[in-house]
Amino acid sequence: MVVSTSSFVLCPGPAEHPARMGLPALALLLAVRLLSTQASPSPRSFQVDYERNCFLKDGVPFRYISGSIHYARVPRPAWRDRLLKMHMSGLSTVQVYVPWNYHETLPGVYDFAGNRDVEAFLDLTAELGLLVILRPGPYICAEWEMGGLPAWLLWKPDIILRSSDPAYLAAVDSWLHVLLPKIKPHLYQHGGNIISVQVENEYGSYYACDYGYLRHLLGSFRALLGSEVLLFTTDSTRAEELRCGTLQGLYATIDFGPGSNVTELFDAQRRVEPKGPLVNSEYYTGWLDYWGEAHASTSAAWVAQGLEDILQLGASVNMYMFHGGTNFAYWSGADYKDQYKPVTTSYDYDAPLSEAGDPTEKLFAIRMVISKFQPLPVGPMPPATPKYAYGWVALRKYADLLDVLDVLCPSGPIQSQFPLTFEAIKQAHGFVLYRTQLPQDIPDPATLSAPPHSICDRGYVMLHKEYQGMLERDGQMTLRVTGKAGDTLDMLLENMGRISFGANVSDFKGLLGNISLDSIPLNNWLIYPLAIDTAVQQGWPHAAMPKSSSRGRAGPAFYTGTFETPGIAWDTFVKFPGWSKGQLWINGFNLGRYWTHRGPQQTLFVPGSVLHVGCPNNITVLELEGAPLTPLLLFLDRPLFNRTLSHSISATE
């Protein structure tokens, strides 16, 4: 407790001279004043000191050392383990995104339960003594599906995202009026642990450069969170991005990774914030992975040296990521850099804590650097979580996807003259089947084709229920087919994740143009929005009898199997030997996409919390291209990352 000496009169005047006041009365007066001091402590505050170029926490100079963690990428039962390891690494603070689309799944439909309980996550950070830097968007990037923006915004096809477009602002305002009142009690000034809140994210990298939009957000955040909370922006060090991404009233911070001249990079911040603390809001400890490219890695020594250079300058820093986690289900985003580049299911990021939450060499190198600048918490670093290699599990084919449309689309198809996008039929994620018929006999091979940029993102083609091949965004756009008039043509369209960064965030999915046969457009389509996750979560197909199928292993089909744990439910990693590409569920939980042929990721992380002890664990696989002759999965006690199509795929188990 800090007691202000101004409450006491050190040189008593005539009215308070002890000689004129009895000792009991003096003691009573001093007691009353002491009690009043205790009842009115100094207000909690977190501010910028522009004179001393630092933050002030409760009036005292303060520098934070922070790390990013995304609650949406970590199973709730593992939150405490990951946060405790971050605390024991020497971090005072964690930086947290709030993905809008994770919580408002449909307009006006909100989900803050279970793994989406952001307030429970904030309570846990406070319990462990961690401060929080909150990044509620509304856009977050994060290599997350559509940068955190809900796909239902695209139900209005001409909407201009991240701008002053009235339709967009109305949706944003509605969301902020739900989210920010939940956040306000957690602000530091209100007794919580949120010391600062970011407005938007790297807005300078977006083409719109709409200051009216930023001013609108600033007004909304101030109205809903109050005048005392520190609001800030984050952008790269490029002058153009800092020009478009910053606004008076929002403290401007920057982001950069290791391997550069730290002093020169902070000069960029000084050009827009001449005074105040130096802040790197995203110091990159690693990088993301794209399907078909090598696993990204950054040396521990390089990261540690860059961190030390930042701390030597007295700057505050957030390490992005400190723990990356996993893009479960359909939540991975994509980039567009000359071509569409979907992000892998693993968001390991080569971060100090691995995808499974294990301390790495990089973590201990970072911890050593931090110890040079501030004391580390007393006690050992919690160990890696136990892993178990459950071994081989045999699967059997349950049914071809085309044979279970009644289960996957119980409401039946939508009829349309020409194809409709996912957004037009209000399907956010996953898969949609498009069906039509051949208009005439095709005895000689004809070209089935799609216009450029109209397959979003992969189309699996079946003719007369026989798999023909695949069309792919920025890839193969034609197939040669033969058939008879009236034969059924099916195209299963897969959404691989909406673009999360840059000007292409309005990333519509499905068939965006007409499919042609020898340049003649096909029409009269039946469109099936597939609710696969709903069926699997309700126990399908394990509660149903297998479908008989005379067709082979090629094309989209479901496979099932079970395994039991030997009295324990530990984390594990599942490998797909000989499989091609698809989706995996265990006990109804969607673990994400696998893409063995494309890599680099060869295993999916299976948290022990999704497994059962004492009863069978149900496995459901949707294989999209072709299963192996003997459909087996292999459960390992370690991940396999770095194998791509251009590398050897020889076994290393």
Side-chain angles (χ1 to χ4, degrees), residues 201-514:
N201 182 56
E202 294 179 332
Y203 188 65
S205 66
Y206 193 56
Y207 74 95
C209 198
D210 185 342
Y211 293 116
Y213 168 54
L214 287 183
R215 279 191 289 270
H216 182 93
L217 290 181
L218 173 58
S220 297
F221 276 65
R222 282 282 173 235
L224 293 166
L225 295 180
S227 60
E228 295 182 346
V229 61
L230 175 62
L231 302 178
F232 72 98
T233 60
T234 303
D235 286 283
S236 80
T237 57
R238 294 181 63 236
E240 176 66 15
E241 296 191 14
L242 286 167
R243 182 182 70 82
C244 288
T246 59
L247 187 73
Q248 187 173 1
L250 299 170
Y251 191 76
T253 73
I254 58 173
D255 50 43
F256 59 83
S260 303
N261 185 310
V262 170
T263 304
E264 288 182 4
L265 291 170
F266 276 124
D267 283 345
Q269 184 189 1
R270 279 287 173 251
R271 286 193 288 273
V272 290
E273 287 289 0
K275 296 287 186 180
L278 298 174
V279 181
N280 184 345
S281 289
E282 288 190 6
Y283 175 65
Y284 302 110
T285 62
W287 203 245
L288 60 140
D289 284 349
Y290 301 109
W291 290 113
E293 299 185 10
H295 176 55
S297 62
T298 308
S299 87
W302 206 31
V303 171
Q305 183 58 59
L307 177 64
E308 185 163 354
D309 293 344
I310 291 171
L311 297 179
Q312 287 280 13
L313 292 179
S316 288
V317 62
N318 173 74
M319 285 168 271
Y320 189 101
M321 295 292 299
F322 205 87
H323 172 51
T326 308
N327 294 312
F328 294 116
Y330 310 109
W331 290 116
S332 56
D335 279 342
Y336 196 93
K337 298 175 180 176
D338 299 321
Q339 63 176 350
Y340 175 74
K341 294 161 68 79
V343 175
T344 58
T345 301
S346 172
Y347 199 66
D348 178 86
Y349 212 84
D350 194 33
L353 282 173
S354 72
E355 179 181 12
D358 297 337
T360 65
E361 173 196 358
K362 189 175 292 181
L363 180 144
F364 289 104
I366 287 170
R367 194 170 186 257
M368 180 64 70
V369 170
I370 293 173
S371 71
K372 298 177 183 180
F373 296 89
Q374 63 187 38
L376 295 174
V378 176
M381 172 65 64
T385 56
K387 312 294 188 301
Y388 197 85
Y390 296 100
W392 293 95
V393 176
L395 272 58
R396 65 173 179 173
K397 184 175 179 178
Y398 171 77
D400 290 289
L401 180 139
L402 296 179
D403 292 336
V404 289
L405 293 179
D406 58 331
V407 175
L408 304 181
C409 186
S411 60
I414 299 162
Q415 298 185 42
S416 177
Q417 182 76 358
F418 295 106
L420 301 173
T421 65
F422 276 44
E423 294 73 23
I425 61 173
K426 301 185 177 181
Q427 173 96 344
H429 311 292
F431 303 86
V432 170
L433 185 85
Y434 296 79
R435 170 172 286 178
T436 189
Q437 293 181 331
L438 295 187
Q440 73 264 342
D441 289 348
I442 310 172
D444 300 316
T447 300
L448 184 75
S449 63
H453 315 298
S454 65
I455 301 289
C456 292
D457 298 302
R458 288 168 65 82
Y460 305 92
V461 179
M462 284 76 67
L463 183 56
H464 201 51
K465 293 195 172 184
E466 294 294 332
Y467 183 59
Q468 304 296 309
M470 182 271 306
L471 304 179
E472 184 174 22
R473 181 175 185 168
D474 299 326
Q476 180 174 334
M477 297 296 284
T478 62
L479 286 173
R480 301 283 282 172
V481 297
T482 60
K484 296 179 180 179
D487 281 356
T488 300
L489 175 71
D490 290 298
M491 292 187 66
L492 179 68
L493 265 289
E494 178 186 13
N495 169 4
M496 281 292 294
R498 289 181 179 82
I499 292 168
S500 51
F501 182 80
N504 301 299
V505 180
S506 295
D507 189 14
F508 294 88
K509 297 299 184 184
L511 287 180
L512 276 55
N514 295 331

Side-chain angles (χ1 to χ4, degrees), residues 29-288:
L29 177 64
L30 292 175
V32 168
R33 290 185 175 176
L34 182 60
L35 284 171
S36 69
T37 302
Q38 290 176 324
S40 305
S42 300
R44 290 162 61 93
S45 63
F46 190 83
Q47 303 165 316
V48 171
D49 186 333
Y50 290 97
E51 297 301 318
R52 287 181 281 183
N53 295 329
C54 67
F55 291 116
L56 294 179
K57 181 169 168 281
D58 300 332
V60 178
F62 178 79
R63 182 256 295 280
Y64 61 73
I65 302 176
S66 172
S68 288
I69 178 174
H70 300 159
Y71 62 91
R73 286 179 161 131
V74 182
R76 182 168 179 167
W79 286 353
R80 179 180 294 273
D81 172 77
R82 310 304 194 259
L83 290 170
L84 181 59
K85 287 169 179 169
M86 295 175 79
H87 170 71
M88 294 306 297
S89 298
L91 304 184
S92 63
T93 310
V94 293
Q95 190 191 76
V96 181
Y97 275 134
V98 180
W100 178 5
N101 56 7
Y102 194 58
H103 295 285
E104 191 176 1
T105 52
L106 291 169
V109 178
Y110 303 99
D111 189 349
F112 290 96
N115 216 79
R116 292 168 164 85
D117 192 341
V118 60
E119 289 190 271
F121 183 82
L122 292 173
D123 288 339
L124 187 53
T125 63
E127 178 188 330
L128 294 172
L130 290 161
L131 299 170
V132 170
I133 300 164
L134 196 72
R135 310 174 84 182
Y139 165 83
I140 63 170
C141 182
E143 291 79 56
W144 185 263
E145 149 68 39
M146 203 165 148
L149 299 177
W152 50 258
L153 291 170
L154 300 178
W155 293 359
K156 186 176 186 297
D158 60 348
I159 195 169
I160 304 174
L161 303 174
R162 303 178 71 192
S163 77
S164 297
D165 181 326
Y168 175 69
L169 288 184
V172 167
D173 287 345
S174 177
W175 162 239
L176 294 180
H177 275 79
V178 171
L179 175 66
L180 296 187
K182 295 178 180 291
I183 298 307
K184 188 171 183 178
H186 297 273
L187 297 178
Y188 188 77
Q189 292 84 350
H190 293 234
N193 61 332
I194 298 175
I195 55 173
S196 60
V197 177
Q198 181 178 320
V199 176
E200 245 278 348
N201 182 56
E202 294 179 332
Y203 188 65
S205 66
Y206 193 56
Y207 74 95
C209 198
D210 185 342
Y211 293 116
Y213 168 54
L214 287 183
R215 279 191 289 270
H216 182 93
L217 290 181
L218 173 58
S220 297
F221 276 65
R222 282 282 173 235
L224 293 166
L225 295 180
S227 60
E228 295 182 346
V229 61
L230 175 62
L231 302 178
F232 72 98
T233 60
T234 303
D235 286 283
S236 80
T237 57
R238 294 181 63 236
E240 176 66 15
E241 296 191 14
L242 286 167
R243 182 182 70 82
C244 288
T246 59
L247 187 73
Q248 187 173 1
L250 299 170
Y251 191 76
T253 73
I254 58 173
D255 50 43
F256 59 83
S260 303
N261 185 310
V262 170
T263 304
E264 288 182 4
L265 291 170
F266 276 124
D267 283 345
Q269 184 189 1
R270 279 287 173 251
R271 286 193 288 273
V272 290
E273 287 289 0
K275 296 287 186 180
L278 298 174
V279 181
N280 184 345
S281 289
E282 288 190 6
Y283 175 65
Y284 302 110
T285 62
W287 203 245
L288 60 140

